[in-house]
Amino acid sequence: MTNNVQLPELDSVGLLRYGWRQLTSMRTALILLLLLGIAAIPGSLIPQRTQNPIAVSAAFKSSPELSIWMDRLSLFDVYGSPWFSAIYILLFISLIGCVLPRTFEHFHAARALPPATPKNLNRMEFYASWPARGNELDAARIWFKSQRFRVIEKDGSISAEKGYSRETGNLFFHLALILILLGISFSSLFGMRGDAILNVGERFVNTPTSYDSLSYGKLFSEGKLESFILNIDKFDSKYNIVTNAPEDYTLNISLRRGNLENTEKRIIKVNSPLAIGNTKIYLQANGYSPVVTVRDSKGNVALQGPIPFLPQDGNLRSIGAIKVPDADPQVGFVGSFVPTYARSNGNGAISVFPQALDPRLLLAAWSGDLGLDSGTPQSVYRIDTSSMSQLGLKSLKPGETFTYPGGSITFEGYAQWVNLQVVDDPGKNFALLGAIVAILGLLASLFTRRRRIWIRVGDVVEVAGLAKNAAPGLEQELKVFMQAVKNEVKGEK
Amino acid sequence: MSRTWAYLSNYFIYSSMAVYTLSFFAHALETAWAVKITTVSTDKNLDYKRTERVARIATAMMILGFILLFAGVIARGISAGRVPWGNMYEFSITGALAFSGAYLVALRKHDLRWLGLLVSIAVLLTLGTAVAVLYRPSAPLVPALKSTWLVIHVSAAIISGGVFLLANAVAAAYLYLDSMESKGGRTPWATRLPSLEYLDQLSYRLVAFVFPLWTFAVIAGAIWAESAWGRYWGWDPKETWAFITWVAYAAYLHARVTIGWRGRRAAWLCLFAGSTFLFNYVYVNIWGTGKHTYSGL
Ligand code: HEM
């Protein structure tokens, strides 16, 4: 440590300027970029709330202490966490601060002419000379022009340069990265995304209350929801009879847009969403809803209709809950639906094919307090049976009825449900444009070489070349150039 | 009909494995012979005339293996009535095809025959695992995979992967020779391998060549995700690791072009970036969760 180290002046302006220079240096940008890559890792190894909420609650059950700590560090929501956002916001600022000034500089430089021919050409990386025979300079000029070099001519010499598109491409690449980030931010501010589970035959009116879950950006106003009504007409699913894997899902809907009177018939498939203005509707998932009728002891209907069940495996064995809060005492059924029934040793009922060829509904009836008024949100697919008592178990074929003390339930049949996702992502096109420009810029920057060639003609002809970044290939080009010059001069004679 | 094609595909793949095995032995023989000669002759300069024939056979077998494997992949596609990229067995055979293809293309311009030993064993291991562990009967695609983007996205990704792995092989050879030289010089058989500088430059050029293609593969994936899943980016594990690979290679290019890293450090960074790609393939497909795990394994 010596005393004569020049510290930057530490008044506030100096400090700010110093910090800004550090932040916008390329080294910082690179470190931030690497950090972003590293910071993305935990989210791919630890279950994330946005992708796998069930695994997250399982983690909380199995090791609560650790999970609470991990949650404090946002490890279950890495990509929305403050530290992840901090990294990419800093990177964003760093990129802007670093790339914009360079852009201005570059466009100045791009309009300037190449510097004049240096005195000592023989110091260059590539150099050749031979006795002059005629008008080599004219020949060189023609060649440079045909190859679209930019040239400056002075005192019997030409200085030529080519390959500015390397830097141009590079700048466009970096600017495009900024554009992509802008697009993403724009979407998160002005976008919306919602999910709705609908049984075949049901109607969906696009208002906030119709959704099972709905999230929108800070600057999205509810009034901006696209106005439409759609009806789920028909849903077809096809499965491979050998592998049981799904082959095709087709959803037919009727759509009424805005205040138009006419109804259009439309089809939605997995890879072809339906576009309504800027809003897109995706077919995301599907499953079965057993249709049941629950009656009380007097035979009055307490509940009737399709109840969506959640698929558990590839053959669509589904679980769910049927809750009858209006009964007294309350009644609930924990159920499992199998589209094609088979008995397995040990596991009870299983499904052996995803299509409903031989459906069964297996029910456990419970009576007591469903716990719906306790305030803690409950899953619609589960029942907390801790303060209930079991009334009985039953496996039902379509049309069959299970009578228990205090009432009965009839398995009428089934309907299919679909999960529609409604998305408005206004920044998407900016991001796409950015991506396209990024690739073009990258190609220009990785596949062009910036290089200079000089020729001076006196008693001897001198030719020299210099490639930036030691890019290969200049030697070959120089050979072609010299050949062209010599041939041209010979031709004149 | 489709049965027949599936059997045909399997036969092609088995025969390509046989041919790659021959190629492997021919390469091994070449290497071994070259070493043996030095112990007999006193001067350190090797006589390659004797090994030249074996080496030519090795490369010829490599080409034949590639053709058979190519036929196997095509027949697999015909049997399923789609592009052969529906599950991990198919990804693996196509990946092996891309890797050996990248080697053969690079061989036309560069003296890379010495790498054949490594390439043939890597291809054999991949095909062996594919046939023994990953094999699935030929079947149609699940709905989410039915898209033109499958063809665009996956072919770009597989080709990039083949070239990335080749760059890794070159970088690994660099590190191996580098440590050999720093311990007192190359052993005789290694003297005919290219200079360190050449290897350093070659792995950079391979990466610089496919980096735009990888960028494109990621973007094509995002476009496809937008039409299949309703969002173009969701930090799904597969997407996350594709991004990490991209960042790692971007850092590698930067380190070389703008900071001037060369040699050992650059080679390590290259290996690191390549291993993120492999990790994505192995880990996320087999143990990962997320939307990309419909691959039938
Ligand atoms: C502060 C910001 C940055 C600066 C000043 C900067 C500057 C540069 C420069 C000077 C080059 C080399 C141009 C050449 O000589 O060919 C380059 C290349 C590159 N940059 Fe950046 N960069 C920055 C941030 C980033 C970021 C954040 C990324 C990626 C996410 C990135 C990705 C790349 C890539 C892939 C190349 C390779 C192109 C080539 O090899 O020519 N850069 N950058």
Side-chain angles (χ1 to χ4, degrees):
Chain A
M1 281 281 142
T2 51
N3 290 332
N4 49 9
V5 172
Q6 285 275 308
L7 282 174
E9 240 180 272
L10 285 186
D11 60 28
S12 51
V13 177
L15 201 61
L16 271 177
R17 193 175 293 154
Y18 177 74
W20 177 250
R21 260 208 307 276
Q22 290 301 311
L23 179 63
T24 58
S25 77
M26 193 166 70
R27 181 164 358 90
T28 311
L30 266 181
I31 291 172
L32 287 171
L33 183 62
L34 273 177
L35 265 180
L36 193 66
I38 294 167
I41 293 176
S44 74
L45 307 177
I46 300 169
Q48 298 294 293
R49 265 205 193 92
T50 48
Q51 292 158 1
N52 200 349
I54 298 169
V56 174
S57 15
F60 267 93
K61 276 216 186 80
S62 63
S63 47
E65 293 276 312
L66 182 67
S67 299
I68 287 170
W69 268 105
M70 284 167 65
D71 204 25
R72 278 193 196 135
L73 298 173
S74 305
L75 286 175
F76 296 118
D77 185 20
V78 166
Y79 308 107
S81 71
W83 47 271
F84 194 77
S85 318
I87 296 174
Y88 75 72
I89 290 170
L90 281 176
L91 176 63
F92 187 32
I93 297 171
S94 169
L95 254 178
I96 292 177
C98 148
V99 172
L100 282 187
R102 273 163 185 263
T103 311
F104 294 127
E105 237 169 73
H106 175 69
F107 286 107
H108 265 281
R111 262 183 283 123
L113 290 170
T117 313
K119 271 219 180 77
N120 297 316
L121 284 181
N122 53 2
R123 285 205 196 136
M124 292 298 162
E125 199 180 349
F126 298 102
Y127 177 76
S129 72
W130 65 90
R133 289 221 206 105
N135 216 347
E136 274 90 356
L137 221 48
D138 290 336
R141 197 178 303 119
I142 293 167
W143 190 82
F144 283 137
K145 190 157 185 206
S146 75
Q147 300 294 314
R148 310 187 40 212
F149 273 74
R150 292 178 311 147
V151 297
I152 177 166
E153 197 171 339
K154 216 172 172 184
D155 309 331
S157 80
I158 297 178
S159 164
E161 184 170 39
K162 194 178 171 183
Y164 258 102
S165 54
R166 182 183 181 98
E167 265 88 352
T168 312
N170 192 262
L171 280 172
F172 269 107
F173 170 76
H174 289 89
L175 288 172
L177 293 184
I178 299 177
L179 188 59
I180 293 176
L181 284 170
L182 278 178
I184 294 173
S185 335
F186 194 72
S187 294
S188 72
L189 288 178
F190 293 98
M192 65 76 63
R193 171 180 305 269
D195 278 285
I197 289 183
L198 299 164
N199 291 301
V200 171
E202 282 178 354
R203 210 164 72 122
F204 175 83
V205 183
N206 193 24
T207 56
T209 49
S210 304
Y211 286 95
D212 293 303
S213 74
L214 174 64
S215 61
Y216 29 70
K218 288 200 174 60
L219 301 178
F220 184 93
S221 60
E222 274 176 27
K224 289 224 300 265
L225 275 180
E226 193 74 36
S227 89
F228 63 84
I229 298 174
L230 58 81
N231 196 70
I232 309 291
D233 295 338
K234 191 159 148 254
F235 177 69
D236 291 312
S237 48
K238 266 222 232 36
Y239 298 91
N240 188 293
I241 47 171
V242 179
T243 64
N244 295 14
E247 281 181 358
D248 185 52
Y249 299 128
T250 303
L251 174 64
N252 291 67
I253 61 158
S254 314
L255 173 72
R256 231 172 71 206
R257 304 176 55 162
N259 35 23
L260 299 180
E261 279 304 308
N262 56 328
T263 308
E264 314 160 50
K265 298 278 179 198
R266 291 297 193 83
I267 289 178
I268 304 180
K269 283 167 124 15
V270 173
N271 261 305
S272 61
L274 172 67
I276 304 174
N278 284 326
T279 303
K280 278 189 172 177
I281 302 174
Y282 297 84
L283 174 61
Q284 285 294 23
N286 64 81
Y288 289 103
S289 304
V291 180
V292 295
T293 307
V294 180
R295 292 191 171 83
D296 63 17
S297 50
K298 296 191 200 80
N300 297 323
V301 173
L303 179 94
Q304 189 166 42
I307 315 285
F309 273 32
L310 206 58
Q312 300 298 303
D313 61 24
N315 287 328
L316 298 187
R317 182 181 70 83
S318 309
I319 58 160
I322 301 163
K323 304 178 187 180
V324 193
D326 298 336
D328 186 24
Q330 292 183 329
V331 182
F333 304 88
V334 179
S336 147
F337 175 86
V338 288
T340 301
Y341 169 80
R343 275 201 78 81
S344 83
N345 326 334
N347 281 337
I350 56 166
S351 172
V352 291
F353 197 70
Q355 217 138 31
L357 303 178
D358 180 16
R360 290 295 153 84
L361 180 62
L362 299 101
L363 291 174
W366 295 79
S367 120
D369 180 10
L370 283 168
L372 293 176
D373 309 321
S374 68
T376 47
Q378 265 197 7
S379 162
V380 294
Y381 303 108
R382 281 165 219 284
I383 292 181
D384 176 9
T385 54
S386 54
S387 49
M388 303 182 82
S389 59
Q390 204 183 66
L391 298 172
L393 295 167
K394 186 79 181 173
S395 163
L396 296 175
K397 287 183 190 171
E400 290 183 345
T401 300
F402 169 30
T403 311
Y404 48 86
S408 72
I409 179 166
T410 307
F411 175 32
E412 313 276 1
Y414 65 90
Q416 280 181 288
W417 59 258
V418 292
N419 178 357
L420 291 187
Q421 187 170 53
V422 181
V423 179
D424 184 2
D425 190 346
K428 192 167 65 190
N429 294 332
F430 295 111
L432 181 62
L433 180 67
I436 293 169
V437 173
I439 289 197
L440 294 179
L442 200 56
L443 286 173
S445 118
L446 284 171
F447 294 115
T448 57
R449 298 160 292 124
R450 179 149 170 212
R451 66 271 188 199
R452 288 190 185 141
I453 298 180
W454 297 279
I455 179 168
R456 175 179 288 131
V457 184
D459 297 334
V460 292
V461 180
E462 284 180 291
V463 170
L466 180 69
K468 227 180 158 185
N469 306 356
L474 180 61
E475 203 169 354
Q476 188 57 35
E477 191 171 25
L478 276 174
K479 251 186 219 148
V480 174
F481 168 61
M482 291 189 290
Q483 204 57 47
V485 169
K486 286 175 185 166
N487 284 347
E488 186 74 19
V489 173
K490 258 188 225 140
E492 275 172 15
K493 278 192 171 173
Chain B
M1 177 68 182
S2 86
R3 267 274 179 74
T4 321
W5 280 106
Y7 284 135
L8 206 58
S9 163
N10 293 355
Y11 287 135
F12 276 129
I13 292 191
Y14 294 147
S15 7
S16 84
M17 285 175 70
V19 172
Y20 276 114
T21 313
L22 289 180
S23 171
F24 170 70
F25 281 123
H27 278 115
L29 209 60
E30 189 212 0
T31 312
W33 228 328
V35 177
K36 203 160 170 209
I37 288 165
T38 44
T39 59
V40 177
S41 74
T42 41
D43 75 297
K44 289 239 161 173
N45 287 329
L46 300 180
D47 174 16
Y48 287 117
K49 285 202 197 85
R50 283 179 61 190
T51 55
E52 180 62 25
R53 217 210 223 120
V54 173
R56 277 175 186 276
I57 291 174
T59 302
M61 289 294 128
M62 193 77 101
I63 295 172
L64 185 59
F66 175 82
I67 293 170
L68 287 170
L69 185 53
F70 187 68
V73 171
I74 297 284
R76 176 81 183 184
I78 294 175
S79 79
R82 56 175 168 81
V83 286
W85 303 320
N87 53 44
M88 230 181 135
Y89 168 72
E90 294 168 351
F91 290 137
S92 296
I93 59 174
T94 316
L97 184 74
F99 183 52
S100 70
Y103 168 76
L104 288 174
V105 170
L107 191 62
R108 289 168 57 110
K109 267 184 77 180
H110 302 273
D111 171 25
L112 277 179
R113 209 159 58 191
W114 50 276
L115 205 56
L117 193 65
L118 198 69
V119 173
S120 53
I121 192 76
V123 168
L124 272 174
L125 284 177
T126 313
L127 289 180
T129 329
V131 169
V133 185
L134 305 173
Y135 187 78
R136 290 288 175 280
S138 184
L141 290 174
V142 298
L145 288 179
K146 281 192 182 140
S147 162
T148 343
W149 288 105
L150 172 71
V151 185
I152 298 168
H153 167 66
V154 178
S155 60
I158 287 181
I159 294 171
S160 313
V163 181
F164 281 151
L165 294 184
L166 189 64
N168 260 19
V170 174
Y174 175 94
L175 288 170
Y176 181 63
L177 292 177
D178 184 53
S179 84
M180 207 187 252
E181 283 188 3
S182 62
K183 277 192 204 129
R186 296 188 180 194
T187 52
W189 73 268
T191 50
R192 73 196 164 115
L193 304 192
S195 68
L196 286 181
E197 202 175 313
Y198 182 85
L199 294 178
D200 185 48
Q201 196 63 27
L202 180 58
S203 63
Y204 165 69
R205 293 201 24 207
L206 287 171
V207 171
F209 173 73
V210 286
F211 185 76
L213 187 63
W214 177 246
T215 311
F216 174 74
V218 173
I219 291 168
I223 296 173
W224 183 13
E226 197 274 331
S227 79
W229 301 327
R231 85 287 186 294
Y232 56 88
W233 197 265
W235 295 107
D236 176 273
K238 194 110 203 170
E239 293 167 351
T240 304
W241 280 92
F243 173 74
I244 292 169
T245 300
W246 188 78
V247 164
Y249 277 114
Y252 170 79
L253 290 177
H254 254 124
R256 285 197 70 111
V257 178
T258 59
I259 311 179
W261 278 23
R262 291 287 181 276
R264 217 178 286 179
R265 278 198 294 184
W268 277 115
L269 191 52
C270 181
L271 280 185
F272 167 74
S275 49
T276 65
F277 180 87
L278 269 185
F279 181 82
N280 196 358
Y281 181 69
V282 176
Y283 169 80
V284 179
N285 276 354
I286 297 182
W287 293 288
T289 53
K291 286 185 176 289
H292 278 87
T293 44
Y294 36 59
S295 52
L297 189 112

